[in-house]
Amino acid sequence: MTTARATLGRQERIKSRKTVEQLFAGGKSRSLADFPLRIIYMQVQRTADEAPVQMMVSVSKRHFKHAVQRNRVKRQVREAYRLNKKMLNNAVTQQADTILRLAFVWQADKLFSSTAVHQHMRTLLQRMAEKLAQQSKS
């Protein structure tokens, strides 16, 4: 019996500056928040063999002056997403012609425990999956 490994591959990350600018420009993007995390998301047409969900993490220098702290928060958010992304992937795969692009933005000035980050991530991904399910019905 084989189980699917929860990985966060190269295709699942947003690397293009153009894509990041589109995501943060407003226009078609929407957002959800569960303090200290905020998701900015956008659905676009699938072009090639891209992953159904692509993500990135942003932690502002304004919140954490030291890179060590910013990197810790980014690791926590990526790990929480990696472990819980199956909740969102199930909703996205129903819409075969679109890709969901996500930007996780850290909004707090202090560090949180990994358990707290996981809880907030689960809440956000659950809400996102519900929104996608409603969109696919209508």
Side-chain angles (χ1 to χ4, degrees), residues 20-51:
V20 172
E21 288 173 359
Q22 287 175 347
L23 196 57
F24 284 101
K28 297 179 184 177
S29 60
R30 305 279 179 252
S31 71
L32 289 172
D34 185 22
F35 191 81
L37 277 174
R38 181 171 166 225
I39 294 181
I40 300 171
Y41 65 96
M42 179 173 72
Q43 284 184 302
V44 295
Q45 293 296 318
R46 177 176 270 170
T47 55
D49 56 335
E50 297 175 307

PDB file of all heavy atoms in Angstrom, residues 20-51:
ATOM      1  N   VAL A  20       3.666  37.466  -9.387  1.00  0.00           N
ATOM      2  CA  VAL A  20       3.541  38.096  -8.074  1.00  0.00           C
ATOM      3  C   VAL A  20       2.882  39.461  -8.214  1.00  0.00           C
ATOM      4  O   VAL A  20       1.981  39.817  -7.433  1.00  0.00           O
ATOM      5  CB  VAL A  20       4.922  38.220  -7.391  1.00  0.00           C
ATOM      6  CG1 VAL A  20       4.821  39.035  -6.118  1.00  0.00           C
ATOM      7  CG2 VAL A  20       5.496  36.844  -7.097  1.00  0.00           C
ATOM      8  N   GLU A  21       3.292  40.232  -9.205  1.00  0.00           N
ATOM      9  CA  GLU A  21       2.703  41.555  -9.421  1.00  0.00           C
ATOM     10  C   GLU A  21       1.221  41.456  -9.759  1.00  0.00           C
ATOM     11  O   GLU A  21       0.413  42.248  -9.283  1.00  0.00           O
ATOM     12  CB  GLU A  21       3.460  42.297 -10.521  1.00  0.00           C
ATOM     13  CG  GLU A  21       4.825  42.761 -10.076  1.00  0.00           C
ATOM     14  CD  GLU A  21       5.663  43.363 -11.202  1.00  0.00           C
ATOM     15  OE1 GLU A  21       5.183  43.414 -12.360  1.00  0.00           O
ATOM     16  OE2 GLU A  21       6.797  43.772 -10.911  1.00  0.00           O
ATOM     17  N   GLN A  22       0.837  40.472 -10.571  1.00  0.00           N
ATOM     18  CA  GLN A  22      -0.579  40.270 -10.893  1.00  0.00           C
ATOM     19  C   GLN A  22      -1.374  39.929  -9.640  1.00  0.00           C
ATOM     20  O   GLN A  22      -2.488  40.408  -9.455  1.00  0.00           O
ATOM     21  CB  GLN A  22      -0.742  39.139 -11.906  1.00  0.00           C
ATOM     22  CG  GLN A  22      -0.324  39.484 -13.296  1.00  0.00           C
ATOM     23  CD  GLN A  22      -0.406  38.282 -14.221  1.00  0.00           C
ATOM     24  OE1 GLN A  22      -0.541  37.135 -13.770  1.00  0.00           O
ATOM     25  NE2 GLN A  22      -0.320  38.532 -15.518  1.00  0.00           N
ATOM     26  N   LEU A  23      -0.785  39.106  -8.803  1.00  0.00           N
ATOM     27  CA  LEU A  23      -1.469  38.667  -7.589  1.00  0.00           C
ATOM     28  C   LEU A  23      -1.716  39.820  -6.630  1.00  0.00           C
ATOM     29  O   LEU A  23      -2.799  39.944  -6.054  1.00  0.00           O
ATOM     30  CB  LEU A  23      -0.619  37.578  -6.920  1.00  0.00           C
ATOM     31  CG  LEU A  23      -1.244  36.705  -5.861  1.00  0.00           C
ATOM     32  CD1 LEU A  23      -2.479  36.001  -6.391  1.00  0.00           C
ATOM     33  CD2 LEU A  23      -0.237  35.675  -5.403  1.00  0.00           C
ATOM     34  N   PHE A  24      -0.723  40.689  -6.466  1.00  0.00           N
ATOM     35  CA  PHE A  24      -0.842  41.787  -5.513  1.00  0.00           C
ATOM     36  C   PHE A  24      -1.440  43.055  -6.120  1.00  0.00           C
ATOM     37  O   PHE A  24      -1.715  44.011  -5.390  1.00  0.00           O
ATOM     38  CB  PHE A  24       0.523  42.093  -4.889  1.00  0.00           C
ATOM     39  CG  PHE A  24       0.933  41.091  -3.857  1.00  0.00           C
ATOM     40  CD1 PHE A  24       1.841  40.095  -4.173  1.00  0.00           C
ATOM     41  CD2 PHE A  24       0.412  41.128  -2.580  1.00  0.00           C
ATOM     42  CE1 PHE A  24       2.222  39.158  -3.230  1.00  0.00           C
ATOM     43  CE2 PHE A  24       0.778  40.202  -1.632  1.00  0.00           C
ATOM     44  CZ  PHE A  24       1.689  39.213  -1.954  1.00  0.00           C
ATOM     45  N   ALA A  25      -1.638  43.106  -7.428  1.00  0.00           N
ATOM     46  CA  ALA A  25      -2.136  44.321  -8.077  1.00  0.00           C
ATOM     47  C   ALA A  25      -3.592  44.620  -7.747  1.00  0.00           C
ATOM     48  O   ALA A  25      -4.039  45.740  -7.873  1.00  0.00           O
ATOM     49  CB  ALA A  25      -1.957  44.214  -9.584  1.00  0.00           C
ATOM     50  N   GLY A  26      -4.334  43.637  -7.335  1.00  0.00           N
ATOM     51  CA  GLY A  26      -5.746  43.885  -7.052  1.00  0.00           C
ATOM     52  C   GLY A  26      -6.586  43.190  -8.097  1.00  0.00           C
ATOM     53  O   GLY A  26      -6.706  41.986  -8.093  1.00  0.00           O
ATOM     54  N   GLY A  27      -7.186  43.934  -8.982  1.00  0.00           N
ATOM     55  CA  GLY A  27      -7.950  43.410 -10.108  1.00  0.00           C
ATOM     56  C   GLY A  27      -8.745  42.155  -9.835  1.00  0.00           C
ATOM     57  O   GLY A  27      -9.833  42.192  -9.289  1.00  0.00           O
ATOM     58  N   LYS A  28      -8.195  41.017 -10.214  1.00  0.00           N
ATOM     59  CA  LYS A  28      -8.891  39.737 -10.094  1.00  0.00           C
ATOM     60  C   LYS A  28      -8.626  39.028  -8.766  1.00  0.00           C
ATOM     61  O   LYS A  28      -9.242  38.023  -8.478  1.00  0.00           O
ATOM     62  CB  LYS A  28      -8.457  38.802 -11.221  1.00  0.00           C
ATOM     63  CG  LYS A  28      -8.802  39.292 -12.594  1.00  0.00           C
ATOM     64  CD  LYS A  28      -8.300  38.304 -13.624  1.00  0.00           C
ATOM     65  CE  LYS A  28      -8.531  38.804 -15.025  1.00  0.00           C
ATOM     66  NZ  LYS A  28      -7.983  37.900 -16.024  1.00  0.00           N
ATOM     67  N   SER A  29      -7.697  39.522  -7.981  1.00  0.00           N
ATOM     68  CA  SER A  29      -7.337  38.804  -6.758  1.00  0.00           C
ATOM     69  C   SER A  29      -8.285  39.130  -5.606  1.00  0.00           C
ATOM     70  O   SER A  29      -8.857  40.212  -5.537  1.00  0.00           O
ATOM     71  CB  SER A  29      -5.899  39.098  -6.355  1.00  0.00           C
ATOM     72  OG  SER A  29      -5.724  40.470  -6.130  1.00  0.00           O
ATOM     73  N   ARG A  30      -8.442  38.178  -4.718  1.00  0.00           N
ATOM     74  CA  ARG A  30      -9.292  38.290  -3.528  1.00  0.00           C
ATOM     75  C   ARG A  30      -8.446  37.918  -2.325  1.00  0.00           C
ATOM     76  O   ARG A  30      -7.350  37.399  -2.454  1.00  0.00           O
ATOM     77  CB  ARG A  30     -10.483  37.333  -3.626  1.00  0.00           C
ATOM     78  CG  ARG A  30     -11.307  37.495  -4.882  1.00  0.00           C
ATOM     79  CD  ARG A  30     -12.280  38.657  -4.725  1.00  0.00           C
ATOM     80  NE  ARG A  30     -13.060  38.831  -5.933  1.00  0.00           N
ATOM     81  CZ  ARG A  30     -12.901  39.834  -6.785  1.00  0.00           C
ATOM     82  NH1 ARG A  30     -11.970  40.726  -6.578  1.00  0.00           N
ATOM     83  NH2 ARG A  30     -13.640  39.945  -7.844  1.00  0.00           N
ATOM     84  N   SER A  31      -9.000  38.146  -1.118  1.00  0.00           N
ATOM     85  CA  SER A  31      -8.225  37.764   0.064  1.00  0.00           C
ATOM     86  C   SER A  31      -9.130  37.258   1.173  1.00  0.00           C
ATOM     87  O   SER A  31     -10.318  37.578   1.239  1.00  0.00           O
ATOM     88  CB  SER A  31      -7.391  38.939   0.564  1.00  0.00           C
ATOM     89  OG  SER A  31      -8.211  39.921   1.132  1.00  0.00           O
ATOM     90  N   LEU A  32      -8.534  36.457   2.030  1.00  0.00           N
ATOM     91  CA  LEU A  32      -9.143  35.943   3.255  1.00  0.00           C
ATOM     92  C   LEU A  32      -8.120  36.120   4.363  1.00  0.00           C
ATOM     93  O   LEU A  32      -6.921  36.020   4.120  1.00  0.00           O
ATOM     94  CB  LEU A  32      -9.440  34.444   3.130  1.00  0.00           C
ATOM     95  CG  LEU A  32     -10.550  33.978   2.226  1.00  0.00           C
ATOM     96  CD1 LEU A  32     -10.525  32.458   2.115  1.00  0.00           C
ATOM     97  CD2 LEU A  32     -11.882  34.426   2.769  1.00  0.00           C
ATOM     98  N   ALA A  33      -8.592  36.344   5.577  1.00  0.00           N
ATOM     99  CA  ALA A  33      -7.651  36.524   6.678  1.00  0.00           C
ATOM    100  C   ALA A  33      -8.081  35.731   7.902  1.00  0.00           C
ATOM    101  O   ALA A  33      -9.276  35.568   8.172  1.00  0.00           O
ATOM    102  CB  ALA A  33      -7.529  37.995   7.038  1.00  0.00           C
ATOM    103  N   ASP A  34      -7.113  35.219   8.602  1.00  0.00           N
ATOM    104  CA  ASP A  34      -7.269  34.608   9.917  1.00  0.00           C
ATOM    105  C   ASP A  34      -5.975  34.960  10.643  1.00  0.00           C
ATOM    106  O   ASP A  34      -4.963  34.284  10.471  1.00  0.00           O
ATOM    107  CB  ASP A  34      -7.465  33.101   9.812  1.00  0.00           C
ATOM    108  CG  ASP A  34      -7.745  32.451  11.158  1.00  0.00           C
ATOM    109  OD1 ASP A  34      -8.201  33.169  12.065  1.00  0.00           O
ATOM    110  OD2 ASP A  34      -7.514  31.240  11.300  1.00  0.00           O
ATOM    111  N   PHE A  35      -6.017  36.049  11.403  1.00  0.00           N
ATOM    112  CA  PHE A  35      -4.811  36.606  12.005  1.00  0.00           C
ATOM    113  C   PHE A  35      -3.990  35.526  12.658  1.00  0.00           C
ATOM    114  O   PHE A  35      -4.541  34.693  13.365  1.00  0.00           O
ATOM    115  CB  PHE A  35      -5.187  37.687  13.030  1.00  0.00           C
ATOM    116  CG  PHE A  35      -4.017  38.484  13.497  1.00  0.00           C
ATOM    117  CD1 PHE A  35      -3.524  39.513  12.739  1.00  0.00           C
ATOM    118  CD2 PHE A  35      -3.394  38.186  14.687  1.00  0.00           C
ATOM    119  CE1 PHE A  35      -2.437  40.252  13.157  1.00  0.00           C
ATOM    120  CE2 PHE A  35      -2.303  38.910  15.118  1.00  0.00           C
ATOM    121  CZ  PHE A  35      -1.826  39.944  14.356  1.00  0.00           C
ATOM    122  N   PRO A  36      -2.724  35.448  12.404  1.00  0.00           N
ATOM    123  CA  PRO A  36      -1.781  36.350  11.773  1.00  0.00           C
ATOM    124  C   PRO A  36      -1.564  36.110  10.283  1.00  0.00           C
ATOM    125  O   PRO A  36      -0.705  36.740   9.687  1.00  0.00           O
ATOM    126  CB  PRO A  36      -0.501  36.047  12.529  1.00  0.00           C
ATOM    127  CG  PRO A  36      -0.578  34.592  12.794  1.00  0.00           C
ATOM    128  CD  PRO A  36      -2.032  34.338  13.059  1.00  0.00           C
ATOM    129  N   LEU A  37      -2.323  35.221   9.667  1.00  0.00           N
ATOM    130  CA  LEU A  37      -2.136  34.922   8.244  1.00  0.00           C
ATOM    131  C   LEU A  37      -3.216  35.570   7.393  1.00  0.00           C
ATOM    132  O   LEU A  37      -4.355  35.711   7.828  1.00  0.00           O
ATOM    133  CB  LEU A  37      -2.198  33.410   8.009  1.00  0.00           C
ATOM    134  CG  LEU A  37      -0.938  32.626   8.242  1.00  0.00           C
ATOM    135  CD1 LEU A  37      -1.225  31.139   8.106  1.00  0.00           C
ATOM    136  CD2 LEU A  37       0.146  33.026   7.290  1.00  0.00           C
ATOM    137  N   ARG A  38      -2.837  35.906   6.187  1.00  0.00           N
ATOM    138  CA  ARG A  38      -3.777  36.413   5.204  1.00  0.00           C
ATOM    139  C   ARG A  38      -3.441  35.739   3.883  1.00  0.00           C
ATOM    140  O   ARG A  38      -2.270  35.606   3.528  1.00  0.00           O
ATOM    141  CB  ARG A  38      -3.612  37.918   5.078  1.00  0.00           C
ATOM    142  CG  ARG A  38      -4.552  38.551   4.102  1.00  0.00           C
ATOM    143  CD  ARG A  38      -4.442  40.064   4.228  1.00  0.00           C
ATOM    144  NE  ARG A  38      -5.085  40.656   3.093  1.00  0.00           N
ATOM    145  CZ  ARG A  38      -4.588  41.654   2.389  1.00  0.00           C
ATOM    146  NH1 ARG A  38      -3.440  42.201   2.743  1.00  0.00           N
ATOM    147  NH2 ARG A  38      -5.216  42.129   1.372  1.00  0.00           N
ATOM    148  N   ILE A  39      -4.468  35.285   3.183  1.00  0.00           N
ATOM    149  CA  ILE A  39      -4.266  34.673   1.867  1.00  0.00           C
ATOM    150  C   ILE A  39      -4.771  35.646   0.811  1.00  0.00           C
ATOM    151  O   ILE A  39      -5.893  36.123   0.903  1.00  0.00           O
ATOM    152  CB  ILE A  39      -5.053  33.363   1.705  1.00  0.00           C
ATOM    153  CG1 ILE A  39      -4.555  32.282   2.624  1.00  0.00           C
ATOM    154  CG2 ILE A  39      -4.962  32.870   0.268  1.00  0.00           C
ATOM    155  CD1 ILE A  39      -5.296  30.974   2.457  1.00  0.00           C
ATOM    156  N   ILE A  40      -3.946  35.916  -0.154  1.00  0.00           N
ATOM    157  CA  ILE A  40      -4.376  36.639  -1.342  1.00  0.00           C
ATOM    158  C   ILE A  40      -4.380  35.602  -2.453  1.00  0.00           C
ATOM    159  O   ILE A  40      -3.376  34.917  -2.671  1.00  0.00           O
ATOM    160  CB  ILE A  40      -3.421  37.803  -1.669  1.00  0.00           C
ATOM    161  CG1 ILE A  40      -3.402  38.775  -0.501  1.00  0.00           C
ATOM    162  CG2 ILE A  40      -3.836  38.485  -2.957  1.00  0.00           C
ATOM    163  CD1 ILE A  40      -2.357  39.843  -0.605  1.00  0.00           C
ATOM    164  N   TYR A  41      -5.509  35.451  -3.124  1.00  0.00           N
ATOM    165  CA  TYR A  41      -5.613  34.383  -4.111  1.00  0.00           C
ATOM    166  C   TYR A  41      -6.229  34.886  -5.407  1.00  0.00           C
ATOM    167  O   TYR A  41      -6.909  35.909  -5.448  1.00  0.00           O
ATOM    168  CB  TYR A  41      -6.425  33.208  -3.566  1.00  0.00           C
ATOM    169  CG  TYR A  41      -7.875  33.516  -3.286  1.00  0.00           C
ATOM    170  CD1 TYR A  41      -8.848  33.214  -4.224  1.00  0.00           C
ATOM    171  CD2 TYR A  41      -8.266  34.081  -2.083  1.00  0.00           C
ATOM    172  CE1 TYR A  41     -10.179  33.489  -3.972  1.00  0.00           C
ATOM    173  CE2 TYR A  41      -9.585  34.352  -1.820  1.00  0.00           C
ATOM    174  CZ  TYR A  41     -10.549  34.054  -2.766  1.00  0.00           C
ATOM    175  OH  TYR A  41     -11.863  34.336  -2.516  1.00  0.00           O
ATOM    176  N   MET A  42      -5.946  34.127  -6.467  1.00  0.00           N
ATOM    177  CA  MET A  42      -6.428  34.464  -7.798  1.00  0.00           C
ATOM    178  C   MET A  42      -6.550  33.168  -8.595  1.00  0.00           C
ATOM    179  O   MET A  42      -5.678  32.311  -8.519  1.00  0.00           O
ATOM    180  CB  MET A  42      -5.418  35.413  -8.453  1.00  0.00           C
ATOM    181  CG  MET A  42      -5.743  35.842  -9.833  1.00  0.00           C
ATOM    182  SD  MET A  42      -4.598  37.111 -10.428  1.00  0.00           S
ATOM    183  CE  MET A  42      -3.116  36.180 -10.667  1.00  0.00           C
ATOM    184  N   GLN A  43      -7.639  33.053  -9.326  1.00  0.00           N
ATOM    185  CA  GLN A  43      -7.810  31.911 -10.212  1.00  0.00           C
ATOM    186  C   GLN A  43      -7.518  32.350 -11.638  1.00  0.00           C
ATOM    187  O   GLN A  43      -8.002  33.388 -12.079  1.00  0.00           O
ATOM    188  CB  GLN A  43      -9.228  31.363 -10.129  1.00  0.00           C
ATOM    189  CG  GLN A  43      -9.484  30.566  -8.879  1.00  0.00           C
ATOM    190  CD  GLN A  43     -10.864  29.973  -8.882  1.00  0.00           C
ATOM    191  OE1 GLN A  43     -11.840  30.691  -8.985  1.00  0.00           O
ATOM    192  NE2 GLN A  43     -10.939  28.663  -8.758  1.00  0.00           N
ATOM    193  N   VAL A  44      -6.703  31.583 -12.325  1.00  0.00           N
ATOM    194  CA  VAL A  44      -6.359  31.878 -13.719  1.00  0.00           C
ATOM    195  C   VAL A  44      -6.533  30.617 -14.555  1.00  0.00           C
ATOM    196  O   VAL A  44      -6.578  29.505 -14.022  1.00  0.00           O
ATOM    197  CB  VAL A  44      -4.911  32.413 -13.861  1.00  0.00           C
ATOM    198  CG1 VAL A  44      -4.761  33.751 -13.183  1.00  0.00           C
ATOM    199  CG2 VAL A  44      -3.914  31.429 -13.313  1.00  0.00           C
ATOM    200  N   GLN A  45      -6.613  30.813 -15.865  1.00  0.00           N
ATOM    201  CA  GLN A  45      -6.757  29.684 -16.777  1.00  0.00           C
ATOM    202  C   GLN A  45      -5.478  28.854 -16.804  1.00  0.00           C
ATOM    203  O   GLN A  45      -4.382  29.404 -16.830  1.00  0.00           O
ATOM    204  CB  GLN A  45      -7.070  30.177 -18.191  1.00  0.00           C
ATOM    205  CG  GLN A  45      -8.429  30.828 -18.323  1.00  0.00           C
ATOM    206  CD  GLN A  45      -9.554  29.857 -18.056  1.00  0.00           C
ATOM    207  OE1 GLN A  45      -9.522  28.715 -18.505  1.00  0.00           O
ATOM    208  NE2 GLN A  45     -10.548  30.290 -17.297  1.00  0.00           N
ATOM    209  N   ARG A  46      -5.627  27.578 -16.819  1.00  0.00           N
ATOM    210  CA  ARG A  46      -4.481  26.673 -16.904  1.00  0.00           C
ATOM    211  C   ARG A  46      -3.953  26.684 -18.337  1.00  0.00           C
ATOM    212  O   ARG A  46      -4.715  26.617 -19.281  1.00  0.00           O
ATOM    213  CB  ARG A  46      -4.914  25.265 -16.501  1.00  0.00           C
ATOM    214  CG  ARG A  46      -3.797  24.248 -16.630  1.00  0.00           C
ATOM    215  CD  ARG A  46      -4.224  22.919 -16.136  1.00  0.00           C
ATOM    216  NE  ARG A  46      -3.891  22.888 -14.717  1.00  0.00           N
ATOM    217  CZ  ARG A  46      -4.276  21.949 -13.892  1.00  0.00           C
ATOM    218  NH1 ARG A  46      -5.046  20.984 -14.298  1.00  0.00           N
ATOM    219  NH2 ARG A  46      -3.912  21.969 -12.637  1.00  0.00           N
ATOM    220  N   THR A  47      -2.640  26.785 -18.458  1.00  0.00           N
ATOM    221  CA  THR A  47      -2.046  26.821 -19.791  1.00  0.00           C
ATOM    222  C   THR A  47      -1.319  25.522 -20.110  1.00  0.00           C
ATOM    223  O   THR A  47      -1.679  24.819 -21.023  1.00  0.00           O
ATOM    224  CB  THR A  47      -1.072  28.007 -19.922  1.00  0.00           C
ATOM    225  OG1 THR A  47      -0.099  27.916 -18.878  1.00  0.00           O
ATOM    226  CG2 THR A  47      -1.802  29.330 -19.833  1.00  0.00           C
ATOM    227  N   ALA A  48      -0.288  25.202 -19.372  1.00  0.00           N
ATOM    228  CA  ALA A  48       0.503  23.994 -19.650  1.00  0.00           C
ATOM    229  C   ALA A  48       0.293  23.005 -18.506  1.00  0.00           C
ATOM    230  O   ALA A  48      -0.702  23.045 -17.805  1.00  0.00           O
ATOM    231  CB  ALA A  48       1.973  24.375 -19.791  1.00  0.00           C
ATOM    232  N   ASP A  49       1.259  22.137 -18.323  1.00  0.00           N
ATOM    233  CA  ASP A  49       1.164  21.141 -17.256  1.00  0.00           C
ATOM    234  C   ASP A  49       1.642  21.751 -15.934  1.00  0.00           C
ATOM    235  O   ASP A  49       2.638  21.337 -15.358  1.00  0.00           O
ATOM    236  CB  ASP A  49       1.963  19.889 -17.616  1.00  0.00           C
ATOM    237  CG  ASP A  49       3.413  20.196 -17.919  1.00  0.00           C
ATOM    238  OD1 ASP A  49       3.694  21.347 -18.306  1.00  0.00           O
ATOM    239  OD2 ASP A  49       4.253  19.297 -17.768  1.00  0.00           O
ATOM    240  N   GLU A  50       0.918  22.770 -15.465  1.00  0.00           N
ATOM    241  CA  GLU A  50       1.244  23.434 -14.211  1.00  0.00           C
ATOM    242  C   GLU A  50       0.520  22.746 -13.065  1.00  0.00           C
ATOM    243  O   GLU A  50      -0.488  22.066 -13.262  1.00  0.00           O
ATOM    244  CB  GLU A  50       0.814  24.908 -14.269  1.00  0.00           C
ATOM    245  CG  GLU A  50       1.547  25.701 -15.328  1.00  0.00           C
ATOM    246  CD  GLU A  50       1.015  27.109 -15.450  1.00  0.00           C
ATOM    247  OE1 GLU A  50      -0.202  27.263 -15.623  1.00  0.00           O
ATOM    248  OE2 GLU A  50       1.828  28.037 -15.376  1.00  0.00           O
ATOM    249  N   ALA A  51       1.024  22.951 -11.863  1.00  0.00           N
ATOM    250  CA  ALA A  51       0.371  22.414 -10.677  1.00  0.00           C
ATOM    251  C   ALA A  51      -0.974  23.119 -10.494  1.00  0.00           C
ATOM    252  O   ALA A  51      -1.104  24.299 -10.819  1.00  0.00           O
ATOM    253  CB  ALA A  51       1.251  22.634  -9.455  1.00  0.00           C
TER     254      ALA A  51
END
